[in-house]
Amino acid sequence: ETGVTQTPRHLVMGMTNKKSLKCEQHLGHNAMYWYKQSAKKPLELMFVYSLEERVENNSVPSRFSPECPNSSHLFLHLHTLQPEDSALYLCASSRQEGTGANVLTFGAGSRLTVL
Amino acid sequence: GQNIDQPTEMTATEGAIVQINCTYQTSGFNGLFWYQQHAGEAPTFLSYNVLDGLEEKGRFSSFLSRSKGYSYLLLKELQMKDSASYLCAVRDSNYQLIWGAGTKLIIKP
């Protein structure tokens, strides 16, 4: 039990579909993140919600839309995706406390395949 | 630009020692992290270095030299369960994490 739960673990969708990824953390953390992990590439930060403020990576296409209704839940809404969006999407959380380590706790990821 | 370099893949023998290197060029430095990720699982935190030197935690140790922009993760008494990817990440002056592409470690009997 990592304390960060992601659903679904696997998702196959067509380019015209709308789907959502869900993340839930039970660690009392105050920051949540979406990362994209592609084979043999560095983790790519997509979105951060920290202290109820959203910080975006401006290179993320608008077909990805995050939602953070409270400090424990995070969603990634997917709309008209492209095959190159196929990847593992990782959710993470952390307790942001000034200049401390702020270690990330990750979920097991949602493996997305876009046909 | 900012960059983290680590070998793509390494192979080692059960019971042996392996050193995974990580070099970085970043805008400032506020700590270096190592994570372990088994196939199909979540990355899990291994170590955090912010000062130069060696941090030991059981069979795993992590070393940092800020002047050289260099770190390594040392794994002793290798076990089959150590087969995984090892991710190096550096926090820059803006407290953003810059990630390496990971090193896949294969342990052979």
Side-chain angles (χ1 to χ4, degrees), chain A residues 4 6 28 33 35 41 49-50 55 70 75 77 84-85 87 104 107-108 113:
Chain A
V4 178
Q6 290 188 242
Y33 311 76
Y35 278 93
K41 292 186 177 180
Y49 279 86
S50 174
V55 178
N70 55 59
F75 296 89
H77 302 301
E84 60 264 30
D85 297 322
L104 296 177
T113 302

Side-chain angles (χ1 to χ4, degrees), chain A residues 12-54:
Chain A
V12 179
M13 59 187 290
M15 289 190 285
T16 59
N17 292 157
K18 288 185 182 181
K19 297 286 184 183
S20 296
L21 307 180
K22 178 182 177 181
C23 177
E24 187 172 357
Q25 60 98 0
H26 310 279
L27 301 168
H29 288 167
N30 58 5
M32 296 188 78
Y33 311 76
W34 280 116
Y35 278 93
K36 178 182 180 182
Q37 186 174 38
S38 302
K40 300 184 179 181
K41 292 186 177 180
L43 288 179
E44 177 186 343
L45 179 63
M46 301 177 73
F47 301 101
V48 181
Y49 279 86
S50 174
L51 303 174
E52 300 183 5
E53 289 187 3
R54 185 171 93 187

